Amino acid sequence: CPVVLAPKNSSITMPPPADIVKVAIEWPGAFPKLMEIDQKKPLSSIIKEVCDGWSLANHDQFALQHADSSNFYITEKNRNEIKNGAILRLTTSPAQNAQQLHERIQSSSMDAKLEALKDLANYSRDITFAQEFINLDGISLLTQMVESGTERYQKLQKIMKPCFGDMLSFTLTAFVELMDHGIVSWDTFSVAFIKKIASYVNKFASDISILQRSLAILESMVLNSHDLYQKVAQEITIGQLIPHLQGTDQEIQTYTIAVINALFLKAPDDKRQEMANILAQKQLRSIILTHVIRAQRAINNEMAHQLYVLQVLTFNLLEDRMMTKMDPQDQAQRDIIFELRRIAFDAESEPNNSSGSMEKRKSMYTRDYKKLGFINHVNPAMDFTQTPPGMLALDNMLYFAKHHQDAYIRIVLENSSREDKHECPFGRSSIELTKMLCEILKVGELRKLIC
């Protein structure tokens, strides 16, 4: 192959090595330093080089972090995320920063304490800092501050110190951020701490930030610890949560539904139906329709997800009935079918009317069961032995017959007078429709859907 040589006067620009990243590094009171970072060199060597450039001693007490809104520390694990043109900041090391904040949040000065907690809430999003602060037993310090929070808040209100509300908000924010890293187990918290968090859901309902963070903590407690679920369930009732759905803040509404979902999901099987009954008594469905779905604002993605989870949890309460076959010998179950017939054809007569011979009544019942659209005209109980939909289909039919009686009678009578090729038999249609809805709504697939 011929070799092509570049002209003598031309210059060839070689691409920079892949391991070299050009960045700007800031330091308070100094002009930013433009430098090339060799990603093959240890991070400690790069920090030492930066410190030497500004004549800073003890380079092991410094670190680099992104100079954006995240303020995340740069470590050996994430240094490959640095891009050309990035702006970095030389700052105190995570260990030094954690130690300083640990001391500052215990200051006797309210203003200094407030600023420290604000900084802590910001830095706690970074797992590198979080690990150092947690190593100083920082979580215990925050929980102690929270446990004494209510009394101090009331006292400071009297002497016109409302900034304590902000302090509590930043304290809870830092706690949430630190716990979200999964470093500390939720099982370590005391009943006193749980009681305080639960009390904030009621006492500080007017403070949106405190309420939001308290609800977030309760949700995490319930989802991450069986023991804490039991303790939270003793402190928080559905009645205390419902009012938060009637406000206008969608974030609060979202966290409220998330707590309800968590309590629902972790409740023992025998308690779920009881909880569902309470939700029905509290008109939860109507409240969600009025204040969430039909509110004059778009539903965000997280709210949509929580509503979906609530729907799944509610529908899955129907699984037992869906998988229960009808016992043709069970008189109570057969009485439901008798009631369907009575409402459709004998609504104005006495339910226990036993006039006429046994054979005549059997013949009449068989005729009526055919009009009702059952496959087995002699013993329609046999139509409900297939699962799904099992007894759930019969439950739906009885509900419709009782609560929409005029529509039920009209449908039955209209279809009983049609030709066979145009018929839409109520019984068979109801059974198939129930089965179809169970498939569409994925009743019985709770674990797969939630996970």
Side-chain angles (χ1 to χ4, degrees):
C1 296
V3 177
V4 179
L5 300 176
K8 292 183 179 180
N9 295 331
S10 68
S11 60
I12 299 177
T13 303
M14 299 297 292
D19 294 322
I20 301 299
V21 182
K22 295 182 178 182
V23 300
I25 300 180
E26 299 177 339
W27 174 252
F31 288 106
K33 183 187 295 293
L34 300 177
M35 67 178 295
E36 295 181 348
I37 292 180
D38 186 349
Q39 294 284 39
K40 293 184 294 185
K41 293 175 60 176
L43 188 59
S44 58
S45 299
I46 296 172
I47 294 173
K48 183 179 184 304
E49 181 181 344
V50 175
C51 289
D52 290 344
W54 277 311
S55 302
L56 300 173
N58 302 319
H59 68 274
D60 57 327
Q61 296 181 9
F62 291 90
L64 292 174
Q65 67 180 181
H66 292 280
D68 55 19
S69 58
S70 70
N71 291 327
F72 285 168
Y73 280 100
I74 295 169
T75 66
E76 291 290 357
K77 291 183 178 180
N78 64 25
R79 61 183 295 179
N80 290 329
E81 298 174 9
I82 302 174
K83 305 297 183 183
N84 275 313
I87 301 177
L88 310 180
R89 180 187 298 119
L90 183 67
T91 185
T92 54
S93 68
Q96 285 284 108
N97 196 11
Q99 182 64 51
Q100 292 171 4
L101 280 173
H102 192 274
E103 295 171 359
R104 287 171 58 200
I105 63 176
Q106 300 179 73
S107 171
S108 58
S109 167
M110 292 292 291
D111 291 337
K113 195 181 192 75
L114 178 60
E115 285 302 312
L117 287 168
K118 185 177 181 180
D119 290 341
L120 179 63
N122 180 47
Y123 278 107
S124 294
R125 294 177 299 158
D126 185 352
I127 190 171
T128 307
F129 169 86
Q131 183 66 72
E132 297 292 345
F133 188 79
I134 290 171
N135 289 343
L136 296 172
D137 211 15
I139 293 288
S140 295
L141 177 59
L142 293 180
T143 56
Q144 291 169 14
M145 294 170 63
V146 169
E147 288 175 14
S148 62
T150 306
E151 292 77 6
R152 295 187 64 186
Y153 181 83
Q154 293 171 341
K155 292 177 182 177
L156 288 168
Q157 273 188 322
K158 295 178 182 178
I159 58 175
M160 303 302 290
K161 290 285 187 179
C163 69
F164 190 76
D166 292 333
M167 290 174 56
L168 181 57
S169 175
F170 287 129
T171 303
L172 295 177
T173 301
F175 177 85
V176 170
E177 296 290 352
L178 291 168
M179 292 303 298
D180 277 351
H181 296 299
I183 300 171
V184 178
S185 171
W186 283 93
D187 288 313
T188 60
F189 298 106
S190 66
V191 174
F193 179 72
I194 298 169
K195 287 180 178 292
K196 288 298 181 184
I197 297 299
S199 72
Y200 295 158
V201 173
N202 299 317
K203 293 183 180 180
F204 294 151
S206 59
D207 192 317
I208 298 299
S209 60
I210 294 176
L211 175 58
Q212 184 257 350
R213 287 151 182 79
S214 298
L215 289 169
I217 293 170
L218 290 178
E219 180 198 9
S220 294
M221 285 180 171
V222 172
L223 292 177
N224 289 285
S225 170
H226 176 70
D227 290 340
L228 290 188
Y229 154 73
Q230 294 178 320
K231 295 171 183 175
V232 171
Q234 292 173 357
E235 299 296 328
I236 288 291
T237 65
I238 298 299
Q240 292 169 322
L241 293 172
I242 291 295
H244 300 313
L245 292 173
Q246 297 171 309
T248 58
D249 190 290
Q250 188 170 125
E251 191 172 19
I252 294 298
Q253 293 174 325
T254 302
Y255 276 99
T256 300
I257 295 178
V259 173
I260 293 174
N261 286 341
L263 291 169
F264 214 134
L265 184 62
K266 292 298 182 178
D269 292 341
D270 59 332
K271 293 289 184 181
R272 284 184 182 174
Q273 187 59 59
E274 179 182 331
M275 187 174 175
N277 294 338
I278 294 174
L279 293 175
Q281 293 171 7
K282 298 293 183 180
Q283 301 294 314
L284 178 66
R285 179 178 178 276
S286 176
I287 290 171
I288 290 177
L289 280 173
T290 302
H291 298 280
V292 178
I293 296 176
R294 294 173 181 167
Q296 299 300 312
R297 61 175 180 272
I299 295 178
N300 60 39
N301 291 338
E302 182 58 27
M303 171 62 84
H305 172 70
Q306 294 299 337
L307 290 174
Y308 167 73
V309 172
L310 179 61
Q311 176 178 279
V312 171
L313 290 167
T314 303
F315 279 134
N316 271 270
L317 292 173
L318 304 174
E319 182 180 8
D320 286 344
R321 293 296 283 175
M322 179 185 75
M323 300 306 296
T324 299
K325 297 181 179 181
M326 186 171 185
D327 181 1
Q329 306 304 317
D330 189 316
Q331 186 60 45
Q333 295 180 0
R334 294 175 64 188
D335 285 344
I336 299 176
I337 297 178
F338 294 155
E339 182 67 4
L340 288 173
R341 179 207 159 273
R342 185 194 68 79
I343 295 173
F345 304 113
D346 213 13
E348 297 181 355
S349 65
E350 291 297 325
N352 296 323
N353 185 2
S354 58
S355 60
S357 67
M358 179 66 71
E359 290 300 322
K360 183 178 180 180
R361 279 190 290 129
K362 282 185 177 181
S363 174
M364 180 178 63
Y365 283 175
T366 299
R367 181 198 65 198
D368 290 347
Y369 290 147
K370 181 178 181 180
K371 289 181 179 180
L372 279 172
F374 290 115
I375 296 175
N376 193 317
H377 307 153
V378 177
N379 187 6
M382 299 302 297
D383 286 21
F384 301 96
T385 56
Q386 180 186 5
T387 57
M391 289 294 291
L392 182 59
L394 188 57
D395 293 342
N396 289 339
M397 293 166 68
L398 182 63
Y399 181 92
F400 180 68
K402 285 188 171 182
H403 292 83
H404 305 278
Q405 186 167 319
D406 291 342
Y408 167 67
I409 294 174
R410 184 175 65 253
I411 289 174
V412 171
L413 294 181
E414 285 179 356
N415 283 285
S416 65
S417 61
R418 289 177 180 174
E419 296 180 14
D420 288 348
K421 63 180 180 179
H422 297 300
E423 69 176 359
C424 181
F426 176 72
R428 277 171 279 173
S429 299
S430 298
I431 292 170
E432 289 302 317
L433 181 58
T434 301
K435 182 179 179 180
M436 184 185 301
L437 287 172
C438 288
E439 293 174 356
I440 293 172
L441 299 173
K442 301 186 184 301
V443 177
E445 298 184 27
L446 174 62
R447 292 187 179 182
K448 182 168 68 176
L449 289 171
I450 298 300
C451 297

